Amino acid sequence: MQPTMMDTTERRPAPTAEPVIDLELERQEILKRYRRLLRAAKPMLKGDDAKLIKKAFNTSAEAHKNMRRRSGEPYIYHPIAVAQIAVEEIGLGPTSIVAALLHDVVEDTETTIADIDRVFGPKVARIIDGLTKISGYFEYGTSQQAENFRKMLLTLSDDVRVILIKLADRLHNMRTLDSMPRDKQLKIASETIYIYAPLAHRLGLYAIKSELEDLYLKHVEPEAYKDIAKKLRETKLARDRFISRFIEPIDRDLTETGIKYVIKGRPKSIYSIWNKLDKSKKPFEEIYDLFAVRVILDVPADQEKAACWRAYSIVTDHYKPNPDRLKDWISTPRTNGYESLHTTVMSKSGQWVEVQIRTERMNEIAEKGYAAHWKYKGNDTQTGAGIETWISQVRDMIESAGSGDKKAAIEFVDDFRSNLYSEEVFVFTPKGDLKVLQRGATALDFAFDIHTQVGAHCMAAKVNNTLVPLSYVLQNGDQVEVITSNRQKPSEDWLRFVVTSKAKTKIKDLIKEENKRYVTDGRDLVQKKLKVLRLEMTNEVINQMRAYFGSKTTDDFFYRVGKGHIDPQEIRKFKADKEARENRANKINTDAIQDGKSFTKELKRIHGERADADMLLIGEDMDRIDYTLSKCCNPISGDDVFGFVTINDGIKIHRVTCPNAVELMSNHGNRIIKAKWTSQKELAFLAGLRITGTDRVGLINDVTRVISNELHINMRSVAIDSKDGIFEGNIRLYVHDTEHLETLMRKLERVQGVYEVIRFDS
C-alpha cells in the first residue's frame, strides 16, 4: 500500500545559512516509518482499517508538510511515533492509530473537529477533541495547564483512549526533549512527573510510568541520573552473578513441577533508586534492593491462583520471607487490574530480594494495563473491573467539580492527582460486600463512598462491632457500619482527615451550599468598604485581595469576610500596602505580565537586546527588578534556578530541585521565567547544613573551627542535639555560592566523628 506523499520542494524554500535538507531522503524515511507502523498494526486490522489509516497518514502529512520539530526533523515523524507507541507499547487498535496520526491536525491547521467527524467518524472526532489543547484567554491567577488536564480528564469516562494516546504523545515528547531549551525541558518534565507518570501508574502502564520518571530525572537532575546509570552498568556483572545463584534452586524445583515458566532478574528504575537514595540519605553502595526477581508462569486461567501459590511455596522453601512484605494482589487485584504475588525474602548472603510471582496473562496486564484488559475481558477474571469502578469514580468527581469554575481547576487536578499513586485498603460492608478505598481512608470516607447523603449525616461508625469516631483510619479486613443522624451537618473540620477525592469534593460542595449566605454578605461588605476607600471593585483588585489575605479562591475570601474571620477594616491596610508597592521606583507592573510577554519585553529593555534578553540575571538587577530568594529552598549562587512571577510579591527565585518546583511549573508555566546567576557581586546567601555522627568531647569545637577559622564563614544559628552517643546538628550559615558550600561540606566530612553532611532547604 503506497500512500501519496506531498512534494515539499516548492512549498518550502530552502533556508539560508542552514544545512541542505535532502527532501527525497526524508520522504523515503517517512514512508519507512509509516510501513513499520503498518507492520505493527497488521495483526489487528480488519475490513477498511488499512484504508482509513492510510487516509489519516496522508491527511497528517499534508497538514504538517511545512512544519519541523525543534530538532529540525519533519514534524510528521512525531504523529507516526505516537501511533507506533500506541500500538506496540500500549496495545491499542486501528481507531487509536488514526487518532494518534491526526492528534495535532486540528490544533495546527484550519481543520475542525467537524471535518474530522465527517471524514473519519464520531469516535475519532471525540478522541481528537479530547486531545486538542484548550485555546483562548485565561484569567490571571488561573492555570492553563490545569484547564488542559481537566478537559482531558472530562473525556476519560467517555473514552479512556484519549488518556492512553495522550500518554503516548507525552512519552515521545519526553524521549525527544534534548532538542528543547532548558526552561521548556523543566516545564514539560515537571508536568510529566506531576500528572502523566501518576496517570500511567493508575492505568497499569508500569513500563511507560517508569520510563517517564527516568526521563524526568534525566532532564531535571542530569548528574544524578548519569551517576546512577553509570553505577548500575558497573555493578551489572556482580548483580547478574548474584541473581543466577539466587534463582538456581527455584529454577530446579519449578522444573520438577512440570509448569512452564520464565524467571527474570531486573534492576529497579533509575528514578526509583534515586528516590530511595534521596529518602534514605544513604550512598548507592548501601542500597541493597536495587533489583527484583520475577517468576512468570504459563498456565491455563483456571489454574493461575494455585500455580502462583505453589511457586511462592517453592521460593519460601529456600529463602526466609519477611512476613510484613507479602502482598497478595491475586486474591484481591488492585483497582487498575494489577495481579501479582509479591514477597521479600532473605538471600543466603544476607541481602533482601523482592520476588514477584505472576502468570503470562497477569504480566501482560501489568505491562500494558488498561489496554490489555480488553483482550481478557471475556475470561472469568477480575481483570479491568477495578478500572471501570475507578473511571466511574472519576466521572462522579468531574461532575461534582463542574466545568465552569476555572479557578477550581488547580484544586481539582490536585485532588485528582492525590488518588493516582495511592495504595489501597480493602474493607467490607455489614452485608459482606467488598469496598476498595485508598490507603489512609477513614470511616467518613467509607460513608461518602456508600452515598453522599450517608456521608453528609454520618456521626460515627462501628468497625468490627466497636464504636469508632469519624476520623478512624480503616485497616484491611475491617467491617464497617455507618451510624447517621438527620441533625448531623458537614463540618470544615472533616476536610482535615478525609483522604478520598469523592469525600473531599462532596464535603466542599455541601459546605459551599451552606455558606453561600456568608459569601454574599462578605461580597457586600467588601464592596461597601472599597467604595469608602475609593477603589473600584474589579476582578484584578479582588484577586489581589484574595492573595493578600491568603485565600485560595475569591469565594473563600468573601466567605472569610462574611464569617468575620477578616475584619473589613483590614482592607484599608491592603490599600496602603498596594499603593506603597506601586510607588516603588521602576517596579515591574505585575498587571502587565499576565501572559508573560510584557515581562519579557521589560527584561529586554533592562538588559538590552542580547541573546539572553528574556533571562533574569540574579545579582546585578536587585536595584531594578523586584525579586527575592525563596525561603522554601534557599537558593544560593551556582544553584540551577528559575524565576516565578507572584501576584503580590514580585519575582521569587526557586531552585529547580525545590519541593514546590514541580507544582509551580506544572500549574503556572506561563509565570515561569529563566534565571541565572552573575558573578559581578560577591553576595552572602543563607544555607542550611545537617550534620550527623558519633558524639565525642571537642566535636562541636572542631566543627565551628572549620566554619569560622578556616573558611571565615558567618553562622546565623547552630542547634545541636546529642543522645546515646549520636549527635545531629542543624547549622544555618552564609556562603558565597555552591562551590563555597561544597568546599565547606568536604572539610566538615573530614572531621573525626562526622558521618554525614547534607544540605537542607529550609
Side-chain angles (χ1 to χ4, degrees), residues 494-626:
W494 288 6
L495 292 169
R496 286 189 299 104
F497 55 80
V498 292
V499 299
T500 60
S501 295
K502 183 174 182 179
K504 284 180 183 176
T505 304
K506 296 297 183 186
I507 291 168
K508 285 173 188 172
D509 286 347
L510 291 163
I511 291 172
K512 200 182 291 181
E513 200 63 37
E514 190 84 11
N515 293 334
K516 273 182 182 174
R517 180 172 60 84
Y518 292 113
V519 172
T520 306
D521 292 348
R523 184 185 291 274
D524 292 343
L525 284 168
V526 170
Q527 192 167 18
K528 286 175 186 174
K529 192 65 187 174
L530 288 177
K531 196 172 182 180
V532 170
L533 295 171
R534 295 182 182 177
L535 275 176
E536 194 179 345
M537 190 168 166
T538 63
N539 282 342
E540 180 194 327
V541 168
I542 294 301
N543 212 22
Q544 288 176 349
M545 291 172 73
R546 175 196 62 74
Y548 182 83
F549 289 104
S551 298
K552 283 190 175 180
T553 65
T554 305
D555 279 354
D556 180 45
F557 166 63
F558 288 138
Y559 167 77
R560 288 171 65 199
V561 174
K563 191 92 170 170
H565 297 161
I566 296 174
D567 189 334
Q569 296 302 320
E570 291 181 54
I571 295 173
R572 189 180 294 277
K573 187 173 182 299
F574 156 77
K575 184 192 176 187
D577 289 350
K578 180 176 184 291
E579 288 173 350
R581 281 196 308 275
E582 288 171 350
N583 291 334
R584 271 188 220 148
N586 296 319
K587 184 185 183 301
I588 293 175
N589 182 358
T590 53
D591 296 341
I593 55 167
Q594 288 185 3
D595 59 0
K597 293 175 184 175
S598 299
F599 180 70
T600 300
K601 187 177 177 183
E602 180 66 14
L603 281 177
K604 285 181 178 178
R605 183 186 68 75
I606 290 170
H607 289 297
E609 296 293 333
R610 60 180 186 240
D612 59 352
D614 60 345
M615 182 178 292
L616 175 61
L617 300 179
I618 309 165
E620 67 175 20
D621 293 315
M622 185 68 87
D623 56 337
R624 284 178 285 186
I625 296 180
D626 182 18

